[in-house]
mmCIF file of all heavy atoms in Angstrom:
data_model
loop_
_atom_site.group_PDB
_atom_site.id
_atom_site.type_symbol
_atom_site.label_atom_id
_atom_site.label_comp_id
_atom_site.label_asym_id
_atom_site.label_seq_id
_atom_site.Cartn_x
_atom_site.Cartn_y
_atom_site.Cartn_z
ATOM 1 N N TYR A 3 99.816 84.674 83.623
ATOM 2 C CA TYR A 3 99.629 85.706 84.635
ATOM 3 C C TYR A 3 98.245 85.596 85.250
ATOM 4 O O TYR A 3 98.074 85.608 86.462
ATOM 5 C CB TYR A 3 99.827 87.066 83.965
ATOM 6 C CG TYR A 3 99.397 88.231 84.791
ATOM 7 C CD1 TYR A 3 100.210 88.732 85.808
ATOM 8 C CD2 TYR A 3 98.185 88.860 84.568
ATOM 9 C CE1 TYR A 3 99.820 89.819 86.561
ATOM 10 C CE2 TYR A 3 97.795 89.951 85.311
ATOM 11 C CZ TYR A 3 98.611 90.437 86.292
ATOM 12 O OH TYR A 3 98.223 91.515 87.038
ATOM 13 N N VAL A 4 97.230 85.445 84.355
ATOM 14 C CA VAL A 4 95.856 85.400 84.844
ATOM 15 C C VAL A 4 95.611 84.105 85.596
ATOM 16 O O VAL A 4 94.975 84.091 86.640
ATOM 17 C CB VAL A 4 94.866 85.541 83.665
ATOM 18 C CG1 VAL A 4 93.442 85.367 84.143
ATOM 19 C CG2 VAL A 4 95.029 86.895 83.006
ATOM 20 N N ARG A 7 97.064 84.340 88.952
ATOM 21 C CA ARG A 7 96.240 85.193 89.790
ATOM 22 C C ARG A 7 94.997 84.444 90.250
ATOM 23 O O ARG A 7 94.552 84.597 91.374
ATOM 24 C CB ARG A 7 95.813 86.441 89.007
ATOM 25 C CG ARG A 7 96.923 87.450 88.817
ATOM 26 C CD ARG A 7 97.123 88.236 90.082
ATOM 27 N NE ARG A 7 98.292 89.064 90.051
ATOM 28 C CZ ARG A 7 98.279 90.374 90.243
ATOM 29 N NH1 ARG A 7 97.158 90.997 90.462
ATOM 30 N NH2 ARG A 7 99.389 91.060 90.215
ATOM 31 N N ARG A 22 87.308 82.502 108.628
ATOM 32 C CA ARG A 22 85.902 82.691 109.062
ATOM 33 C C ARG A 22 85.482 81.562 109.982
ATOM 34 O O ARG A 22 84.769 81.766 110.963
ATOM 35 C CB ARG A 22 84.974 82.738 107.843
ATOM 36 C CG ARG A 22 84.920 84.073 107.147
ATOM 37 C CD ARG A 22 83.714 84.152 106.227
ATOM 38 N NE ARG A 22 83.739 83.127 105.202
ATOM 39 C CZ ARG A 22 84.356 83.258 104.027
ATOM 40 N NH1 ARG A 22 85.007 84.368 103.737
ATOM 41 N NH2 ARG A 22 84.322 82.280 103.145
ATOM 42 N N TYR A 36 97.491 76.620 111.520
ATOM 43 C CA TYR A 36 98.719 76.348 112.268
ATOM 44 C C TYR A 36 99.677 75.523 111.406
ATOM 45 O O TYR A 36 100.854 75.854 111.266
ATOM 46 C CB TYR A 36 98.375 75.599 113.564
ATOM 47 C CG TYR A 36 99.572 75.099 114.348
ATOM 48 C CD1 TYR A 36 100.156 75.885 115.346
ATOM 49 C CD2 TYR A 36 100.117 73.829 114.116
ATOM 50 C CE1 TYR A 36 101.248 75.420 116.083
ATOM 51 C CE2 TYR A 36 101.211 73.371 114.837
ATOM 52 C CZ TYR A 36 101.771 74.165 115.820
ATOM 53 O OH TYR A 36 102.853 73.704 116.539
ATOM 54 N N ASP A 37 99.165 74.446 110.818
ATOM 55 C CA ASP A 37 99.999 73.555 110.003
ATOM 56 C C ASP A 37 100.610 74.310 108.821
ATOM 57 O O ASP A 37 101.743 74.057 108.416
ATOM 58 C CB ASP A 37 99.170 72.386 109.454
ATOM 59 C CG ASP A 37 98.682 71.468 110.564
ATOM 60 O OD1 ASP A 37 99.311 71.447 111.640
ATOM 61 O OD2 ASP A 37 97.658 70.776 110.356
ATOM 62 N N ASP A 41 105.961 76.500 110.386
ATOM 63 C CA ASP A 41 107.380 76.482 110.008
ATOM 64 C C ASP A 41 107.893 77.884 109.722
ATOM 65 O O ASP A 41 108.974 78.276 110.197
ATOM 66 C CB ASP A 41 107.589 75.601 108.761
ATOM 67 C CG ASP A 41 107.542 74.120 109.090
ATOM 68 O OD1 ASP A 41 107.233 73.771 110.253
ATOM 69 O OD2 ASP A 41 107.804 73.298 108.191
ATOM 70 N N TRP A 69 94.517 83.024 117.869
ATOM 71 C CA TRP A 69 93.241 82.412 118.286
ATOM 72 C C TRP A 69 92.425 83.398 119.114
ATOM 73 O O TRP A 69 91.236 83.617 118.859
ATOM 74 C CB TRP A 69 93.490 81.132 119.075
ATOM 75 C CG TRP A 69 92.227 80.594 119.665
ATOM 76 C CD1 TRP A 69 91.777 80.764 120.944
ATOM 77 C CD2 TRP A 69 91.212 79.844 118.990
ATOM 78 N NE1 TRP A 69 90.542 80.169 121.107
ATOM 79 C CE2 TRP A 69 90.183 79.592 119.920
ATOM 80 C CE3 TRP A 69 91.072 79.356 117.695
ATOM 81 C CZ2 TRP A 69 89.038 78.871 119.593
ATOM 82 C CZ3 TRP A 69 89.931 78.634 117.366
ATOM 83 C CH2 TRP A 69 88.923 78.403 118.311
ATOM 84 N N ALA A 73 88.881 85.083 117.925
ATOM 85 C CA ALA A 73 87.697 84.808 118.736
ATOM 86 C C ALA A 73 87.020 86.100 119.152
ATOM 87 O O ALA A 73 85.826 86.137 119.391
ATOM 88 C CB ALA A 73 88.097 83.990 119.970
ATOM 89 N N GLU A 77 82.782 90.085 117.909
ATOM 90 C CA GLU A 77 82.267 91.214 118.678
ATOM 91 C C GLU A 77 82.225 92.478 117.842
ATOM 92 O O GLU A 77 81.477 93.393 118.099
ATOM 93 C CB GLU A 77 83.203 91.498 119.874
ATOM 94 C CG GLU A 77 83.234 90.407 120.909
ATOM 95 C CD GLU A 77 82.042 90.473 121.848
ATOM 96 O OE1 GLU A 77 81.809 91.519 122.441
ATOM 97 O OE2 GLU A 77 81.344 89.471 121.957
ATOM 98 N N VAL A 126 118.721 73.238 114.666
ATOM 99 C CA VAL A 126 117.433 73.739 114.152
ATOM 100 C C VAL A 126 117.203 73.339 112.698
ATOM 101 O O VAL A 126 116.244 73.778 112.075
ATOM 102 C CB VAL A 126 117.295 75.274 114.286
ATOM 103 C CG1 VAL A 126 117.225 75.669 115.737
ATOM 104 C CG2 VAL A 126 118.380 76.009 113.551
ATOM 105 N N LEU A 167 112.479 84.337 101.935
ATOM 106 C CA LEU A 167 112.259 83.052 102.594
ATOM 107 C C LEU A 167 110.784 82.686 102.639
ATOM 108 O O LEU A 167 110.392 81.578 102.341
ATOM 109 C CB LEU A 167 112.811 83.083 104.025
ATOM 110 C CG LEU A 167 114.317 83.184 104.150
ATOM 111 C CD1 LEU A 167 114.729 83.214 105.609
ATOM 112 C CD2 LEU A 167 114.978 81.994 103.465
ATOM 113 N N GLU A 169 108.391 84.298 101.032
ATOM 114 C CA GLU A 169 107.759 84.599 99.740
ATOM 115 C C GLU A 169 106.481 85.417 99.892
ATOM 116 O O GLU A 169 105.497 85.189 99.176
ATOM 117 C CB GLU A 169 107.531 83.301 98.949
ATOM 118 C CG GLU A 169 108.859 82.662 98.552
ATOM 119 C CD GLU A 169 108.721 81.300 97.910
ATOM 120 O OE1 GLU A 169 107.592 80.827 97.741
ATOM 121 O OE2 GLU A 169 109.761 80.705 97.588
ATOM 122 N N ARG A 187 110.094 98.038 98.246
ATOM 123 C CA ARG A 187 111.020 97.597 97.173
ATOM 124 C C ARG A 187 112.424 98.145 97.442
ATOM 125 O O ARG A 187 113.422 97.451 97.257
ATOM 126 C CB ARG A 187 110.544 98.099 95.819
ATOM 127 C CG ARG A 187 109.425 97.273 95.235
ATOM 128 C CD ARG A 187 109.414 97.386 93.726
ATOM 129 N NE ARG A 187 108.302 96.675 93.156
ATOM 130 C CZ ARG A 187 108.330 95.394 92.827
ATOM 131 N NH1 ARG A 187 109.415 94.687 93.011
ATOM 132 N NH2 ARG A 187 107.266 94.816 92.308
ATOM 133 N N HIS A 191 115.971 96.022 98.263
ATOM 134 C CA HIS A 191 117.210 96.302 97.534
ATOM 135 C C HIS A 191 118.344 96.644 98.500
ATOM 136 O O HIS A 191 119.452 96.109 98.393
ATOM 137 C CB HIS A 191 116.944 97.450 96.575
ATOM 138 C CG HIS A 191 118.103 97.770 95.705
ATOM 139 N ND1 HIS A 191 118.502 96.973 94.651
ATOM 140 C CD2 HIS A 191 118.982 98.799 95.744
ATOM 141 C CE1 HIS A 191 119.563 97.496 94.085
ATOM 142 N NE2 HIS A 191 119.872 98.606 94.714
ATOM 143 N N ARG A 192 118.044 97.502 99.470
ATOM 144 C CA ARG A 192 119.074 97.912 100.446
ATOM 145 C C ARG A 192 119.521 96.724 101.293
ATOM 146 O O ARG A 192 120.711 96.551 101.554
ATOM 147 C CB ARG A 192 118.521 98.987 101.383
ATOM 148 C CG ARG A 192 118.537 100.355 100.809
ATOM 149 C CD ARG A 192 118.347 101.426 101.858
ATOM 150 N NE ARG A 192 118.270 102.717 101.177
ATOM 151 C CZ ARG A 192 117.279 103.576 101.278
ATOM 152 N NH1 ARG A 192 116.264 103.324 102.082
ATOM 153 N NH2 ARG A 192 117.283 104.710 100.610
ATOM 154 N N LEU A 194 119.475 93.605 100.549
ATOM 155 C CA LEU A 194 120.275 92.686 99.737
ATOM 156 C C LEU A 194 121.698 93.208 99.571
ATOM 157 O O LEU A 194 122.674 92.446 99.640
ATOM 158 C CB LEU A 194 119.596 92.531 98.375
ATOM 159 C CG LEU A 194 119.631 91.154 97.715
ATOM 160 C CD1 LEU A 194 119.119 90.089 98.653
ATOM 161 C CD2 LEU A 194 118.784 91.166 96.453
ATOM 162 N N LYS A 195 121.811 94.513 99.363
ATOM 163 C CA LYS A 195 123.145 95.136 99.226
ATOM 164 C C LYS A 195 123.952 94.909 100.488
ATOM 165 O O LYS A 195 125.136 94.573 100.458
ATOM 166 C CB LYS A 195 122.982 96.649 99.010
ATOM 167 C CG LYS A 195 123.174 97.098 97.565
ATOM 168 C CD LYS A 195 122.837 98.535 97.366
ATOM 169 C CE LYS A 195 123.914 99.487 97.818
ATOM 170 N NZ LYS A 195 123.636 100.887 97.403
ATOM 171 N N ARG A 198 124.969 91.286 100.853
ATOM 172 C CA ARG A 198 126.042 90.958 99.906
ATOM 173 C C ARG A 198 127.385 91.402 100.469
ATOM 174 O O ARG A 198 128.389 90.720 100.337
ATOM 175 C CB ARG A 198 125.782 91.643 98.557
ATOM 176 C CG ARG A 198 126.674 91.158 97.426
ATOM 177 C CD ARG A 198 126.359 91.852 96.120
ATOM 178 N NE ARG A 198 125.020 91.527 95.674
ATOM 179 C CZ ARG A 198 124.069 92.428 95.425
ATOM 180 N NH1 ARG A 198 124.297 93.719 95.572
ATOM 181 N NH2 ARG A 198 122.883 92.049 95.005
ATOM 182 N N GLU B 3 123.518 88.146 91.878
ATOM 183 C CA GLU B 3 122.222 88.268 92.554
ATOM 184 C C GLU B 3 121.650 86.885 92.863
ATOM 185 O O GLU B 3 121.117 86.632 93.943
ATOM 186 C CB GLU B 3 121.284 89.046 91.622
ATOM 187 C CG GLU B 3 120.041 89.556 92.274
ATOM 188 C CD GLU B 3 120.265 90.828 93.066
ATOM 189 O OE1 GLU B 3 121.331 91.450 92.958
ATOM 190 O OE2 GLU B 3 119.374 91.194 93.833
ATOM 191 N N ILE B 10 120.628 82.970 100.716
ATOM 192 C CA ILE B 10 119.613 83.377 101.685
ATOM 193 C C ILE B 10 118.566 82.272 101.834
ATOM 194 O O ILE B 10 118.101 81.967 102.936
ATOM 195 C CB ILE B 10 118.949 84.705 101.278
ATOM 196 C CG1 ILE B 10 119.961 85.846 101.402
ATOM 197 C CG2 ILE B 10 117.728 85.009 102.151
ATOM 198 C CD1 ILE B 10 119.477 87.182 100.888
ATOM 199 N N LEU B 13 118.431 79.384 104.349
ATOM 200 C CA LEU B 13 117.821 79.547 105.674
ATOM 201 C C LEU B 13 116.456 78.859 105.765
ATOM 202 O O LEU B 13 115.928 78.682 106.861
ATOM 203 C CB LEU B 13 117.673 81.035 106.017
ATOM 204 C CG LEU B 13 118.990 81.815 106.104
ATOM 205 C CD1 LEU B 13 118.726 83.309 106.285
ATOM 206 C CD2 LEU B 13 119.829 81.313 107.280
ATOM 207 N N LYS B 14 115.915 78.466 104.615
ATOM 208 C CA LYS B 14 114.640 77.728 104.631
ATOM 209 C C LYS B 14 114.793 76.382 105.320
ATOM 210 O O LYS B 14 113.803 75.748 105.693
ATOM 211 C CB LYS B 14 114.130 77.496 103.199
ATOM 212 C CG LYS B 14 113.434 78.685 102.600
ATOM 213 C CD LYS B 14 112.743 78.313 101.297
ATOM 214 C CE LYS B 14 111.987 79.512 100.766
ATOM 215 N NZ LYS B 14 111.196 79.235 99.588
ATOM 216 N N LYS B 17 113.998 74.781 110.606
ATOM 217 C CA LYS B 17 112.621 74.349 110.863
ATOM 218 C C LYS B 17 112.464 73.993 112.334
ATOM 219 O O LYS B 17 113.438 73.621 112.997
ATOM 220 C CB LYS B 17 112.287 73.118 110.006
ATOM 221 C CG LYS B 17 112.110 73.457 108.552
ATOM 222 C CD LYS B 17 111.818 72.256 107.705
ATOM 223 C CE LYS B 17 111.824 72.710 106.244
ATOM 224 N NZ LYS B 17 111.756 71.617 105.323
ATOM 225 N N TRP B 22 108.159 69.068 119.004
ATOM 226 C CA TRP B 22 107.684 70.325 119.583
ATOM 227 C C TRP B 22 106.460 70.837 118.807
ATOM 228 O O TRP B 22 105.473 71.300 119.386
ATOM 229 C CB TRP B 22 108.793 71.392 119.567
ATOM 230 C CG TRP B 22 108.270 72.747 119.952
ATOM 231 C CD1 TRP B 22 108.083 73.226 121.210
ATOM 232 C CD2 TRP B 22 107.823 73.768 119.058
ATOM 233 N NE1 TRP B 22 107.553 74.504 121.170
ATOM 234 C CE2 TRP B 22 107.391 74.859 119.856
ATOM 235 C CE3 TRP B 22 107.751 73.899 117.670
ATOM 236 C CZ2 TRP B 22 106.878 76.036 119.317
ATOM 237 C CZ3 TRP B 22 107.254 75.068 117.125
ATOM 238 C CH2 TRP B 22 106.816 76.136 117.958
ATOM 239 N N LYS B 23 106.502 70.722 117.498
ATOM 240 C CA LYS B 23 105.384 71.170 116.645
ATOM 241 C C LYS B 23 104.096 70.453 117.033
ATOM 242 O O LYS B 23 103.045 71.060 117.201
ATOM 243 C CB LYS B 23 105.682 70.836 115.170
ATOM 244 C CG LYS B 23 105.973 72.051 114.317
ATOM 245 C CD LYS B 23 106.503 71.797 112.964
ATOM 246 C CE LYS B 23 105.818 70.888 112.033
ATOM 247 N NZ LYS B 23 106.390 70.975 110.668
ATOM 248 N N ARG B 27 100.866 72.045 118.920
ATOM 249 C CA ARG B 27 99.560 72.002 118.245
ATOM 250 C C ARG B 27 98.500 71.461 119.206
ATOM 251 O O ARG B 27 97.416 72.038 119.336
ATOM 252 C CB ARG B 27 99.646 71.090 117.025
ATOM 253 C CG ARG B 27 98.482 71.199 116.057
ATOM 254 C CD ARG B 27 98.682 70.192 114.922
ATOM 255 N NE ARG B 27 97.837 70.471 113.772
ATOM 256 C CZ ARG B 27 96.561 70.118 113.675
ATOM 257 N NH1 ARG B 27 95.967 69.521 114.670
ATOM 258 N NH2 ARG B 27 95.874 70.394 112.574
ATOM 259 N N LEU B 39 83.770 80.418 123.656
ATOM 260 C CA LEU B 39 83.385 80.843 122.319
ATOM 261 C C LEU B 39 81.886 80.893 122.133
ATOM 262 O O LEU B 39 81.389 81.582 121.266
ATOM 263 C CB LEU B 39 83.988 79.891 121.276
ATOM 264 C CG LEU B 39 85.489 80.033 121.078
ATOM 265 C CD1 LEU B 39 86.015 78.899 120.238
ATOM 266 C CD2 LEU B 39 85.831 81.357 120.435
ATOM 267 N N ASN B 42 80.427 84.354 122.137
ATOM 268 C CA ASN B 42 80.835 85.114 120.964
ATOM 269 C C ASN B 42 80.069 84.675 119.726
ATOM 270 O O ASN B 42 79.632 85.484 118.927
ATOM 271 C CB ASN B 42 82.330 84.927 120.709
ATOM 272 C CG ASN B 42 83.150 85.677 121.730
ATOM 273 O OD1 ASN B 42 82.636 86.538 122.437
ATOM 274 N ND2 ASN B 42 84.414 85.328 121.839
ATOM 275 N N GLN B 45 76.511 85.954 119.844
ATOM 276 C CA GLN B 45 76.476 87.394 119.586
ATOM 277 C C GLN B 45 76.691 87.678 118.104
ATOM 278 O O GLN B 45 76.053 88.560 117.530
ATOM 279 C CB GLN B 45 77.538 88.108 120.414
ATOM 280 C CG GLN B 45 77.135 88.240 121.859
ATOM 281 C CD GLN B 45 78.240 88.777 122.733
ATOM 282 O OE1 GLN B 45 79.400 88.760 122.362
ATOM 283 N NE2 GLN B 45 77.884 89.245 123.921
ATOM 284 N N ARG B 60 81.277 85.650 95.281
ATOM 285 C CA ARG B 60 81.710 84.272 95.476
ATOM 286 C C ARG B 60 80.879 83.465 94.485
ATOM 287 O O ARG B 60 79.712 83.798 94.258
ATOM 288 C CB ARG B 60 81.463 83.815 96.892
ATOM 289 C CG ARG B 60 82.454 84.424 97.879
ATOM 290 C CD ARG B 60 82.356 83.800 99.233
ATOM 291 N NE ARG B 60 81.011 83.830 99.764
ATOM 292 C CZ ARG B 60 80.712 83.519 101.017
ATOM 293 N NH1 ARG B 60 81.648 83.165 101.837
ATOM 294 N NH2 ARG B 60 79.482 83.553 101.438
ATOM 295 N N GLU B 137 94.496 94.755 86.974
ATOM 296 C CA GLU B 137 93.784 93.513 87.342
ATOM 297 C C GLU B 137 92.466 93.406 86.595
ATOM 298 O O GLU B 137 92.086 92.330 86.146
ATOM 299 C CB GLU B 137 93.538 93.474 88.846
ATOM 300 C CG GLU B 137 94.788 93.137 89.616
ATOM 301 C CD GLU B 137 94.515 92.435 90.934
ATOM 302 O OE1 GLU B 137 93.539 91.687 91.034
ATOM 303 O OE2 GLU B 137 95.322 92.635 91.857
ATOM 304 N N GLU B 144 90.876 87.978 79.685
ATOM 305 C CA GLU B 144 90.634 86.533 79.794
ATOM 306 C C GLU B 144 89.229 86.197 79.297
ATOM 307 O O GLU B 144 89.034 85.262 78.520
ATOM 308 C CB GLU B 144 90.784 86.092 81.255
ATOM 309 C CG GLU B 144 90.707 84.583 81.425
ATOM 310 C CD GLU B 144 90.490 84.151 82.860
ATOM 311 O OE1 GLU B 144 90.338 85.007 83.747
ATOM 312 O OE2 GLU B 144 90.453 82.934 83.084
ATOM 313 N N ASP B 214 117.951 109.659 95.668
ATOM 314 C CA ASP B 214 118.211 108.455 96.463
ATOM 315 C C ASP B 214 118.760 107.362 95.536
ATOM 316 O O ASP B 214 118.052 106.851 94.661
ATOM 317 C CB ASP B 214 116.893 107.997 97.120
ATOM 318 C CG ASP B 214 117.056 106.801 98.034
ATOM 319 O OD1 ASP B 214 118.004 106.007 97.835
ATOM 320 O OD2 ASP B 214 116.230 106.647 98.947
ATOM 321 N N ASP B 216 119.639 104.223 96.067
ATOM 322 C CA ASP B 216 119.009 102.900 96.166
ATOM 323 C C ASP B 216 117.680 102.907 95.424
ATOM 324 O O ASP B 216 117.350 101.961 94.705
ATOM 325 C CB ASP B 216 118.788 102.516 97.632
ATOM 326 C CG ASP B 216 120.095 102.219 98.336
ATOM 327 O OD1 ASP B 216 121.025 101.721 97.667
ATOM 328 O OD2 ASP B 216 120.192 102.480 99.548
ATOM 329 N N GLU B 219 118.277 102.743 91.745
ATOM 330 C CA GLU B 219 118.623 101.389 91.275
ATOM 331 C C GLU B 219 117.378 100.526 91.157
ATOM 332 O O GLU B 219 117.213 99.785 90.192
ATOM 333 C CB GLU B 219 119.605 100.729 92.258
ATOM 334 C CG GLU B 219 121.050 101.107 92.011
ATOM 335 C CD GLU B 219 122.011 100.327 92.902
ATOM 336 O OE1 GLU B 219 122.006 99.087 92.811
ATOM 337 O OE2 GLU B 219 122.749 100.953 93.678
ATOM 338 N N GLU B 245 101.102 92.552 82.734
ATOM 339 C CA GLU B 245 102.130 92.628 83.780
ATOM 340 C C GLU B 245 103.037 93.832 83.558
ATOM 341 O O GLU B 245 103.442 94.502 84.502
ATOM 342 C CB GLU B 245 102.989 91.360 83.775
ATOM 343 C CG GLU B 245 102.355 90.181 84.498
ATOM 344 C CD GLU B 245 103.328 89.023 84.629
ATOM 345 O OE1 GLU B 245 104.370 89.193 85.265
ATOM 346 O OE2 GLU B 245 103.040 87.945 84.077
ATOM 347 N N GLU B 248 101.260 96.855 84.719
ATOM 348 C CA GLU B 248 101.244 96.913 86.187
ATOM 349 C C GLU B 248 102.582 97.403 86.717
ATOM 350 O O GLU B 248 102.667 98.234 87.626
ATOM 351 C CB GLU B 248 100.944 95.523 86.745
ATOM 352 C CG GLU B 248 100.512 95.532 88.188
ATOM 353 C CD GLU B 248 100.015 94.168 88.660
ATOM 354 O OE1 GLU B 248 100.378 93.158 88.031
ATOM 355 O OE2 GLU B 248 99.292 94.144 89.662
ATOM 356 N N GLU B 252 103.584 100.921 88.706
ATOM 357 C CA GLU B 252 104.238 100.922 90.010
ATOM 358 C C GLU B 252 105.437 101.888 90.001
ATOM 359 O O GLU B 252 105.650 102.622 90.972
ATOM 360 C CB GLU B 252 104.711 99.521 90.358
ATOM 361 C CG GLU B 252 105.075 99.391 91.825
ATOM 362 C CD GLU B 252 105.490 98.022 92.258
ATOM 363 O OE1 GLU B 252 105.203 97.048 91.521
ATOM 364 O OE2 GLU B 252 106.108 97.935 93.325
#
Side-chain angles (χ1 to χ4, degrees):
Chain A
Y3 168 80
V4 175
R7 286 282 171 123
R22 279 196 300 273
Y36 173 91
D37 294 336
D41 284 6
W69 172 262
E77 294 280 306
V126 293
L167 293 180
E169 294 173 1
R187 281 206 184 272
H191 184 73
R192 279 196 185 124
L194 217 53
K195 257 173 79 171
R198 192 179 296 123
Chain B
E3 194 80 11
I10 291 174
L13 298 173
K14 280 190 177 185
K17 287 179 187 171
W22 171 83
K23 251 169 53 170
R27 194 182 196 279
L39 287 170
N42 287 345
Q45 284 172 342
R60 286 190 306 190
E137 284 208 32
E144 187 195 3
D214 183 334
D216 290 328
E219 276 186 59
E245 279 188 61
E248 197 171 22
E252 194 177 343

